[in-house]
Amino acid sequence: MLESVANLCATAFSAGLAPEPNLSVSAWADTYRFLSGIASAEPGPWRTSRTPYLREIMDCLSPSHPAQRVVVMSGAQIGKTECGNNWIGYVIHRAPGPMLMVQPTVETAKRVSKQRLAPMIEATPVLRERVSDARSRDSGNTVQVKEFDGGVLIITGANSSAGLRSMPIRFLFMDEVDEYPGDVDGQGDPVAIAEKRTATFSRRKILLTSTPTIKGLSRIEREFLESDQRRYFVPCPGCGHLDYLTWREVGHHRIEWEEGRPETAHLVCGGCGARVEEGRKTDMLQRGMWIPTAQSESRTVGFHLSALYSPLGWKSWAQCAAEFLRAKE
């Protein structure tokens, strides 16, 4: 199997000289991706309009975009992992090459492969055509290896130095990096080990995502602070003032609620001070835009999203406020 994978990577390396596809990752997802009823609460065709803040993140992963590293620091129930899964689907269908997906542990990687990737491939016709059924003999499709014409996807854990060091990789997706160990098998930082696998590809793409953990110690926070620190600015429905969503920070769009009543959570405009109910959030998200808040000389772009941006029906401001209060107890 390892020899087969190595041969695929060599072929994919040569294929990397071919012209890049013009289709963006978000356009691919809107055209081809289907959400499985097994892995999604909203099965059916993918709609970027449901999570419009993901469009620019996905498009930075498109081969035509100059960014080499994309950092996403976000809260839960925002869609960041599905964003990465769309990128995987895009690579399999439109930009085949060697790709590595890293989860915190090998066990987590196997679970993600079975519960998220396999249903995505099965539900999306253009992927089902390119990745053989795992049940067929010599399919090249196992829990941790997905072979396809012109490329291969390796799925491993950050706690496996063998999985991280195996072969050259053009596309690298590192999910929930704050849960990675600081050192793996005495070989060093797993993020650094994995990134070295991309060194031979001038047109490499690297995606790092995570929910941040301890401030000042968080790996994703450190990566975000070294980027151009993009935030998603949304307009006030009343005065049109653009700002990003915050927790009770005066001068910005902020979430407030009546004392002891998180169910009353609402937005207060950082411009006019008007009260905005959560029912207006869908329109605000559609009209939002990413704006860099820092200078960066690197080819790393960074995105910050809190759970406050979660679409209606996913995670409400009231739920966020209740969690905020419980965390302070």
Side-chain angles (χ1 to χ4, degrees):
M1 173 61 73
L2 287 178
E3 183 178 354
S4 172
V5 170
N7 290 338
L8 273 171
C9 287
T11 301
F13 183 89
S14 300
L17 300 177
E20 302 286 11
N22 291 324
L23 191 71
S24 69
V25 174
S26 68
W28 178 88
D30 283 327
T31 304
Y32 297 105
R33 172 80 194 276
F34 282 84
L35 297 169
S36 165
I38 298 175
S40 174
E42 299 180 0
W46 170 273
R47 295 175 294 137
T48 303
S49 59
R50 188 77 170 97
T51 51
Y53 47 77
L54 293 181
R55 186 180 305 279
E56 186 167 328
I57 298 174
M58 287 190 284
D59 290 350
C60 285
L61 294 167
S62 303
S64 58
H65 194 281
Q68 284 192 345
R69 300 173 82 250
V70 179
V71 175
V72 182
M73 179 171 72
S74 79
Q77 298 186 43
I78 285 294
K80 63 181 183 298
T81 299
E82 286 304 324
C83 175
N85 290 341
N86 284 341
W87 183 38
I88 289 174
Y90 178 91
V91 169
I92 293 173
H93 183 204
R94 297 299 298 265
M99 187 173 198
L100 176 65
M101 180 187 192
V102 184
Q103 292 291 331
T105 67
V106 172
E107 288 307 310
T108 304
K110 291 178 179 178
R111 185 168 63 250
V112 168
S113 178
K114 293 176 182 178
Q115 297 179 358
R116 303 295 287 272
L117 294 183
M120 176 182 75
I121 291 169
E122 178 63 26
T124 305
V126 295
L127 301 182
R128 193 168 61 243
E129 294 170 359
R130 287 163 174 77
V131 180
S132 301
D133 192 321
R135 293 166 294 186
S136 65
R137 181 174 297 180
D138 299 324
S139 70
N141 180 356
T142 67
V143 173
Q144 291 188 257
V145 178
K146 307 292 183 185
E147 296 181 3
F148 47 93
D149 188 20
V152 61
L153 169 65
I154 308 297
I155 306 152
T156 192
N159 62 340
S160 169
S161 60
L164 297 176
R165 300 171 66 95
S166 57
M167 63 198 63
I169 294 295
R170 181 183 178 191
F171 304 112
L172 174 60
F173 175 19
M174 293 181 281
D175 197 19
E176 295 299 345
V177 297
D178 269 21
E179 297 180 23
Y180 289 10
D183 178 84
V184 53
D185 299 334
Q187 301 296 311
D189 176 52
V191 170
I193 294 172
E195 288 205 31
K196 285 180 181 178
R197 305 278 68 76
T198 69
T200 54
F201 289 90
S202 61
R203 294 182 291 181
R204 61 185 176 271
K205 288 282 184 179
I206 299 168
L207 171 63
L208 299 93
T209 75
S210 190
T211 300
T213 50
I214 302 173
K215 187 174 179 62
L217 298 177
S218 166
R219 179 183 271 116
I220 197 69
E221 179 191 44
R222 182 172 65 251
E223 294 283 355
F224 176 73
L225 292 177
E226 293 176 358
S227 74
D228 57 1
Q229 301 180 34
R230 302 181 186 194
R231 293 180 179 268
Y232 200 65
F233 284 65
V234 295
C236 168
C239 71
H241 176 70
L242 272 176
D243 207 344
Y244 55 89
L245 303 182
T246 66
W247 285 105
R248 296 187 164 187
E249 295 180 27
V250 176
H252 292 286
H253 286 342
R254 59 194 183 276
I255 302 300
E256 295 188 352
W257 56 90
E258 297 174 19
E259 188 68 29
R261 299 186 61 202
E263 67 274 12
T264 65
H266 58 276
L267 178 74
V268 176
C269 173
C272 67
R275 174 174 175 145
V276 180
E277 300 299 335
E278 190 165 15
R280 306 297 298 275
K281 184 162 65 171
T282 298
D283 181 60
M284 294 170 68
L285 292 179
Q286 291 289 349
R287 297 165 56 202
M289 65 180 68
W290 286 103
I291 299 177
T293 61
Q295 296 287 332
S296 176
E297 300 300 324
S298 71
R299 296 180 69 180
T300 298
V301 295
F303 299 88
H304 178 276
L305 277 169
S306 74
L308 299 175
Y309 288 91
S310 187
L312 290 178
W314 288 17
K315 192 171 188 177
S316 68
W317 289 341
Q319 290 173 303
C320 291
E323 290 180 2
F324 179 83
L325 291 174
R326 285 196 296 268
K328 294 183 65 177
E329 293 177 352

